[in-house]
Amino acid sequence: MYHEIKLLSSSFVLFLLFQFSTSTDTITSNQSIKDGDIVISNAKSFALGFFSPDNSTKRYVGIWYYKVSEQTVVWVANRDSPINDTSGILSIDRTGNLVIHDRRQNNIPLWSTNASALSAAAAAANNCSAQLLDSGNLVLFPGDSKRVVAWQSFDYPTNTMLPDMKLGADRRTGLNWFLTSWKSREDPGTGEYSYKMDLSGLPEFFLYKGSDPVWRTGPWNGLRWSGVPAMNPNSIFNVIYVDNDDEVSVIYGIHNASIFSRLMVNETGIVGRLTWHDGGRGWVGFWSSPKDTCDEYNGCGAYGDCDPRNASDFKCTCLPGFEPKSARDWYMRDGSGGCVRKRGRQVCGSGDGFVKVTNAKLPDTLTARADQKLGIKACKELCLSNCSCTAYTNADIRGEGSGCMIWYGELVDTREYTNGGQDLYPNIRSQKRVIKIGGWWQLLQRLSL
Ligand SMILES: *[C@@H]1O[C@H](CO)[C@@H](O)[C@H](O)[C@H]1NC(C)=O
Ligand SMILES: *[C@@H]1O[C@H](CO)[C@@H](O)[C@H](O)[C@H]1NC(C)=O
Ligand SMILES: *[C@@H]1O[C@H](CO)[C@@H](O)[C@H](O)[C@H]1NC(C)=O
Ligand SMILES: *[C@@H]1O[C@H](CO)[C@@H](O)[C@H](O)[C@H]1NC(C)=O
Ligand SMILES: *[C@@H]1O[C@H](CO)[C@@H](O)[C@H](O)[C@H]1NC(C)=O
Ligand SMILES: *[C@@H]1O[C@H](CO)[C@@H](O)[C@H](O)[C@H]1NC(C)=O
Ligand SMILES: *[C@@H]1O[C@H](CO)[C@@H](O)[C@H](O)[C@H]1NC(C)=O
Ligand SMILES: *[C@@H]1O[C@H](CO)[C@@H](O)[C@H](O)[C@H]1NC(C)=O
Ligand SMILES: *[C@@H]1O[C@H](CO)[C@@H](O)[C@H](O)[C@H]1NC(C)=O
């Protein structure tokens, strides 16, 4: 009862209750949705209809939580093609696609699902339908059978990842499911921040501003992303991480359907998880990133190590066996030039040469390889046997730790946490080639002086 009273006190819900006429969960060829109508999922968790963001008069088709008193849009169809008035119509057209039209442009839709898997016969028989599921997924069915999906909104995320939605990449087709921020709180158009899985090294998510990396999650460590220590397994979420020949993806399920929790990337470049609390508290942050100065991508350069605990001092240090490339820049607290191997170190191939870094966020995986079957001893041996190896660690931190992850190039974007992270073993031995280049370089520098 308390819940209902709270809902009624919200003008947004009053608007819903009195303005809208439709309340089925399905759109059919015979039944289109005009501005003012809404579609409500079976258990009344989500609603679909036309909305305007705060401080905007433009109209968009979106999906929002039906039971959350603060208008919270989780998906937008025509995010880059708004309608200027309330003449919009969402319908299923002759080809079976979901389309949005406004009064003036009746032939060319403002937006279309553009699905290719639609049967012309089913469309001609008006058998196509779109259903808003209780997960918040809008699904287009090409015919009577609900086993075939022609299109679904979960495949075209906007700025929000809902429980049971998949982010990641299809290795075969190259299709990538990722989030993109709104332009501003008034404009859901495609903004400049995106949260996207990168497959150029071992899989990890990056937060990008345009094409520039801002922050990365680090690789999956069996429990969570290496760079999201706050994401501990708990009784609320069940996480499904898949990495096989077909795809790499992650799904966060939620055990209790009455808990509303979403991951979003917002227009200020923050990616984070929020959970709804009744009783006036609204959406409360669960975790978010970037959070501190060491989350900035590659802030301490190659072979640098960022430590936020050193607040009074300079946040950048060098990994064991390395020293600042430019002592002057370092002194001026600019760590972006990174570090180089200390001179006079043992040469590669001359025995053991690892120093443990604890509570580390694993370096960028661009040059890394993983083998889940190798143990940590074999992993170390493998690293020792190859002069290109720069570091090794366990690929999976569950239990005693298992698997092997090895880096064969520059160690970039390493940081430390007060709690969380894992042991990383950088190779402190010099590599023959590096010494040679270094020697040459110094000789050249001396000559030119
Ligand atoms: C749609 O309407 C047409 C004509 O009114 C009717 O023949 C057809 O059965 C309807 N289809 C559905 C799926 O309701
Ligand atoms: C809407 O505009 C008002 C007045 O300019 C401002 O205080 C408020 O923060 C704006 N709301 C959003 C969501 O931007
Ligand atoms: C909405 O208005 C803007 C600016 O007046 C115009 O450029 C745009 O074409 C209009 N959009 C539609 C769908 O009519
Ligand atoms: C649908 O396809 C048309 C033509 O290829 C394209 O202009 C339009 O942007 C597409 N719409 C969506 C929502 O992808
Ligand atoms: C359309 O639906 C009707 C009723 O369920 C069915 O008999 C018919 O075979 C369907 N036609 C097509 C082309 O899917
Ligand atoms: C689910 O959460 C609601 C409220 O948060 C709580 O009342 C209910 O007992 C929970 N259900 C289960 C099965 O944990
Ligand atoms: C962006 O998201 C963060 C974390 O979710 C939140 O603290 C912050 O207020 C948001 N900023 C805006 C402008 O919405
Ligand atoms: C803090 O920085 C100083 C100077 O760079 C370094 O010697 C020290 O080890 C750092 N402390 C920690 C906790 O990393
Ligand atoms: C060392 O590892 C690299 C990268 O995996 C590989 O290309 C190279 O052949 C290896 N070298 C030796 C001597 O095994």
Side-chain angles (χ1 to χ4, degrees):
M1 277 303 99
Y2 168 74
H3 199 62
E4 234 162 68
I5 293 162
K6 183 168 187 327
L7 286 182
L8 282 172
S9 69
S10 147
S11 57
F12 175 59
V13 171
L14 286 176
F15 183 59
L16 295 185
L17 289 178
F18 299 120
Q19 178 139 0
F20 297 121
S21 49
T22 315
S23 66
T24 143
D25 66 351
T26 305
I27 305 169
T28 61
S29 310
N30 290 359
Q31 188 177 28
S32 52
I33 299 298
K34 47 186 199 310
D35 195 324
D37 297 339
I38 59 167
V39 171
I40 301 168
S41 69
N42 185 45
K44 299 196 172 11
S45 43
F46 287 94
L48 166 94
F50 287 82
F51 76 97
S52 291
D54 280 354
N55 294 348
S56 167
T57 55
K58 299 257 195 296
R59 304 295 288 168
Y60 300 86
V61 170
I63 296 173
W64 58 86
Y65 292 93
Y66 186 65
K67 290 177 179 165
V68 164
S69 55
E70 184 182 314
Q71 177 172 340
T72 309
V73 173
V74 296
W75 183 78
V76 185
N78 56 323
R79 67 186 303 191
D80 292 307
S81 321
I83 302 169
N84 293 334
D85 54 30
T86 55
S87 69
I89 288 179
L90 172 67
S91 60
I92 290 180
D93 73 1
R94 281 163 202 274
T95 65
N97 276 294
L98 264 178
V99 290
I100 301 173
H101 285 281
D102 76 346
R103 184 188 289 126
R104 276 154 301 175
Q105 297 169 302
N106 265 327
N107 294 321
I108 312 144
L110 280 172
W111 175 86
S112 162
T113 50
N114 280 353
S116 53
L118 289 164
S119 127
N126 285 343
N127 278 3
C128 301
S129 65
Q131 188 180 9
L132 179 62
L133 306 182
D134 281 317
S135 58
N137 193 7
L138 175 65
V139 181
L140 181 63
F141 297 106
D144 310 325
S145 164
K146 299 228 153 156
R147 274 173 303 181
V148 186
V149 169
W151 176 94
Q152 54 180 345
S153 61
F154 271 19
D155 280 341
Y156 301 89
T158 54
N159 69 345
T160 303
M161 181 191 197
L162 290 173
D164 298 330
M165 185 166 155
K166 183 189 282 185
L167 290 190
D170 185 319
R171 286 195 196 267
R172 306 217 153 161
T173 62
L175 195 75
N176 199 315
W177 302 279
F178 63 98
L179 305 179
T180 321
S181 66
W182 287 21
K183 280 196 167 121
S184 68
R185 287 169 73 185
E186 293 102 55
D187 183 352
T190 306
E192 57 181 346
Y193 289 97
S194 56
Y195 180 66
K196 188 173 185 175
M197 181 166 278
D198 179 278
L199 291 180
S200 33
L202 297 174
E204 47 185 349
F205 276 97
F206 273 82
L207 175 67
Y208 295 99
K209 180 178 189 177
S211 57
D212 298 333
V214 174
W215 172 76
R216 66 182 180 96
T217 59
W220 187 258
N221 63 18
L223 282 183
R224 55 172 179 264
W225 303 106
S226 167
V228 189
M231 205 180 88
N232 271 318
N234 58 38
S235 51
I236 299 174
F237 304 105
N238 60 323
V239 186
I240 304 169
Y241 178 71
V242 172
D243 182 359
N244 58 32
D245 291 343
D246 295 336
E247 70 176 58
V248 194
S249 65
V250 67
I251 294 174
Y252 305 101
I254 205 149
H255 292 305
N256 187 336
S258 62
I259 294 176
F260 299 130
S261 178
R262 64 200 164 102
L263 182 84
M264 74 166 308
V265 53
N266 71 16
E267 50 288 346
T268 54
I270 305 285
V271 52
R273 176 167 290 283
L274 300 153
T275 302
W276 178 256
H277 292 253
D278 281 325
R281 286 172 69 207
W283 290 104
V284 175
F286 191 83
W287 68 263
S288 70
S289 275
K291 201 174 188 74
D292 65 31
T293 164
C294 287
D295 277 336
E296 177 202 347
Y297 180 72
N298 201 15
C300 294
Y303 303 107
D305 181 11
C306 193
D307 189 343
R309 290 165 292 190
N310 233 342
S312 56
D313 250 312
F314 183 33
K315 64 176 181 176
C316 294
T317 53
C318 291
L319 286 171
F322 292 82
E323 61 193 6
K325 188 170 183 186
S326 158
R328 188 170 180 277
D329 287 352
W330 215 257
Y331 191 65
M332 311 277 272
R333 298 198 168 180
D334 171 7
S336 60
C339 307
V340 291
R341 282 187 190 278
K342 282 183 182 160
R343 276 184 290 153
R345 279 278 163 193
Q346 290 170 288
V347 165
C348 171
S350 61
D352 207 343
F354 301 99
V355 173
K356 180 163 84 176
V357 176
T358 54
N359 297 109
K361 171 181 178 179
L362 300 183
D364 195 339
T365 61
L366 190 58
T367 67
R369 311 268 166 82
D371 185 338
Q372 301 294 347
K373 288 181 218 87
L374 278 189
I376 198 72
K377 275 195 179 135
C379 194
K380 182 178 176 181
E381 290 305 316
L382 191 61
C383 187
L384 276 174
S385 72
N386 188 323
C387 287
S388 313
C389 175
T390 48
Y392 76 92
T393 186
N394 273 139
D396 193 320
I397 64 166
R398 283 177 291 185
E400 298 283 288
S402 62
C404 172
M405 198 177 285
I406 285 191
W407 282 258
Y408 291 103
E410 282 185 343
L411 301 176
V412 167
D413 197 36
T414 315
R415 64 161 294 173
E416 286 176 42
Y417 297 106
T418 313
N419 288 305
Q422 75 189 77
D423 294 345
L424 174 73
Y425 299 90
N427 185 350
I428 64 164
R429 297 161 307 160
S430 294
Q431 287 148 312
K432 286 169 189 153
R433 221 188 313 144
V434 172
I435 278 192
K436 220 184 251 167
I437 293 168
W440 260 61
W441 184 238
Q442 273 151 16
L443 188 66
L444 281 175
Q445 274 185 326
R446 258 184 240 139
L447 286 178
S448 64
L449 285 173

